[in-house]
Amino acid sequence: MVALTTTIGRPTGLSPEQSFTADGPGIVAVARKPPRACGRRQPRPAGVREHPGMDLDRVARRQQGVVSRAQALEAGLSPGQVRWRLQRGRWRAIHPGVYLTNNGTVDWPSRARAALLRCGRGSVLILSAACYLWRLERTPPAVVTVGVPTDRHPEAVDGLVVVRRRRLDPVTVDGLPVTRLPVTVLDMADRPGCSVDDAVALAARACQERAVDAAALRRELDGRRRHQHRRELRLAFAEVGNGAESLPETTFETTVRRPHGLPAFERQVVEDDGSRTDLKNREFGTNVEIDGRLWHAGERFHLDRRRDRRAVGRGEVTFRVAPVEMATSPCEVARDLALALRHRGWVGAPRPCGPGCAVGAP
């Protein structure tokens, strides 16, 4: 306190911010500074910035609204400031040390970025996460799978699976690092429980919708000698690039038509009414439809029957065969199809594919 002697009126020597009290002339008055307003921010010491290392807001925008604790500290926030933002609900913890910098919904891209930040340097989205970003799957995966270099050992947490790999070679899709499309397709095909049918269908979809060619798939497969479907996929990729949509169509070409010298068929022909025919020979008015539960169930069954009726109306015949028949008795299928083609005007003759072939049997 500052003691001042005064008479009536304001004492001299007081700043405008100071006040005084007096009980009368000749009484000692006491000047006091007003109390500091509660919550008022004090000036930051010179040379200290909140973001000395990076613009944290810009980083968050680039990272789907997600930042790591390390990034926040590098940007100049103290551990207490990070804790305060979490306690006040301004930030939300997605994983330990990884935060959403707003109080909105944690969508899938934010979850994917959080998984990458949790795993740290060199992390890449792989398998179902990459498949979803490449638009080969419509539903985002419940668990985000992340590939990391072999020298990294991040701890897995709920909603996150970590896989160590020697080679990752990522590209960027929607701002997130993912495995290349051929790598993604073959990774998915090598999962436990993935059938050959599913693997070929995925490869076909990638070729048709994402502009990858079968040659790129074959090159990637050449480096995977232990792939569970290596033999079947090498055979299928030769046909996928030419328009085959499923393994049965590939099987027809490689085990039924070509080995027995039958006429060529177009694949996936779009008819005038918008329907599609699996395999079509226009010269002899013969269609081949491959029936399988995977492709012909529920509503598809009725659509197939309507397509068959319209084919009859065009003067065409439909030859139906199941995938299991082509796998177990391709020679018999070829013999029966050759007979149908002969009745439609084909003057050629099928050839046996080898000893014991049903085509050569009397």
Side-chain angles (χ1 to χ4, degrees), residues 11-32:
T12 60
L14 296 180
S15 67
E17 291 81 8
Q18 292 177 311
S19 60
F20 76 99
T21 60
D23 295 328
I27 303 300
V28 174
V30 179
R32 300 182 179 89

Side-chain angles (χ1 to χ4, degrees), residues 20 33 41-43 86 103 126 163 201-202 204 224-225 256 266 277-278 285 292 306 315 332 338:
F20 76 99
K33 292 182 180 180
R41 184 175 182 178
Q42 297 302 300
L86 292 169
N103 55 10
I126 64 173
V163 179
L202 181 65
R224 301 190 181 209
R225 299 189 179 278
V256 176
E266 300 176 59
T277 300
D278 288 346
R306 182 173 62 184
E332 293 181 10

Side-chain angles (χ1 to χ4, degrees), residues 326-341:
M326 293 189 296
T328 58
S329 54
C331 299
E332 293 181 10
V333 172
R335 181 191 61 193
D336 295 342
L337 180 57
L339 290 173
L341 289 167

Side-chain angles (χ1 to χ4, degrees), residues 35-299:
R36 181 167 59 90
C38 180
R40 179 178 298 174
R41 184 175 182 178
Q42 297 302 300
R44 186 179 295 274
V48 177
R49 296 179 298 162
E50 183 169 336
H51 307 294
M54 65 174 72
D55 184 337
L56 194 61
D57 291 337
R58 181 177 298 176
V59 171
R61 287 194 298 269
R62 190 174 65 245
Q63 297 183 166
Q64 292 75 36
V66 180
V67 300
S68 68
R69 178 181 176 84
Q71 289 174 330
L73 297 179
E74 183 181 350
L77 297 182
S78 69
Q81 289 172 316
V82 172
R83 185 168 54 252
W84 181 84
R85 283 164 170 75
L86 292 169
Q87 292 173 344
R88 292 297 185 93
R90 295 190 176 185
W91 288 7
R92 297 175 57 185
I94 302 177
H95 297 307
V98 182
Y99 316 118
L100 180 69
T101 58
N102 57 66
N103 55 10
T105 302
V106 182
D107 56 15
W108 194 88
S110 297
R111 287 181 52 221
R113 176 62 69 178
L116 292 167
L117 291 174
R118 171 67 181 174
C119 293
R121 171 184 54 83
S123 301
V124 178
L125 297 174
I126 64 173
L127 289 168
S128 57
C131 198
Y132 175 68
L133 282 175
W134 280 115
R135 311 296 196 273
L136 296 178
E137 297 289 347
R138 294 183 179 180
T139 304
V143 176
V144 179
T145 308
V146 176
V148 299
T150 54
D151 61 343
R152 302 294 315 284
H153 296 79
E155 181 182 355
V157 294
D158 290 343
L160 168 62
V161 172
V162 179
V163 179
R164 293 195 298 277
R165 290 191 170 179
R166 291 187 177 88
R167 182 172 65 94
L168 289 169
D169 189 21
V171 295
T172 300
V173 177
D174 294 345
L176 294 164
V178 302
T179 47
R180 293 180 298 108
L181 184 51
V183 174
T184 301
V185 170
L186 290 174
D187 283 351
M188 295 292 288
D190 208 20
R191 294 172 301 163
C194 180
S195 69
V196 178
D197 288 341
D198 291 339
V200 174
L202 181 65
R205 198 154 64 245
C207 287
Q208 294 161 7
E209 298 179 9
R210 302 303 307 174
V212 67
D213 56 29
L217 294 172
R218 289 196 298 270
R219 286 193 298 270
E220 181 63 29
L221 183 62
D222 287 342
R224 301 190 181 209
R225 299 189 179 278
R226 296 184 179 181
H227 196 286
Q228 65 176 345
H229 299 310
R230 176 179 169 83
R231 182 179 64 84
E232 296 88 345
L233 289 177
R234 282 178 63 85
L235 178 65
F237 286 166
E239 302 300 328
V240 165
N242 296 324
E245 286 196 343
S246 65
L247 180 62
E249 292 173 33
T250 300
T251 303
F252 173 84
E253 179 67 19
T254 57
T255 67
V256 176
R257 192 202 71 79
R258 191 187 304 163
H260 299 97
L262 300 180
F265 284 76
E266 300 176 59
R267 300 186 182 98
Q268 294 299 313
V269 177
V270 179
E271 306 291 356
D272 292 340
D273 60 2
S275 64
R276 297 178 65 158
T277 300
D278 288 346
L279 299 156
K280 187 180 191 72
N281 183 291
R282 297 179 188 272
E283 181 179 0
F284 304 112
T286 302
N287 303 327
V288 174
E289 291 294 339
I290 303 171
D291 290 334
R293 291 182 181 179
L294 180 62
W295 299 276
H296 301 268
E299 183 181 0

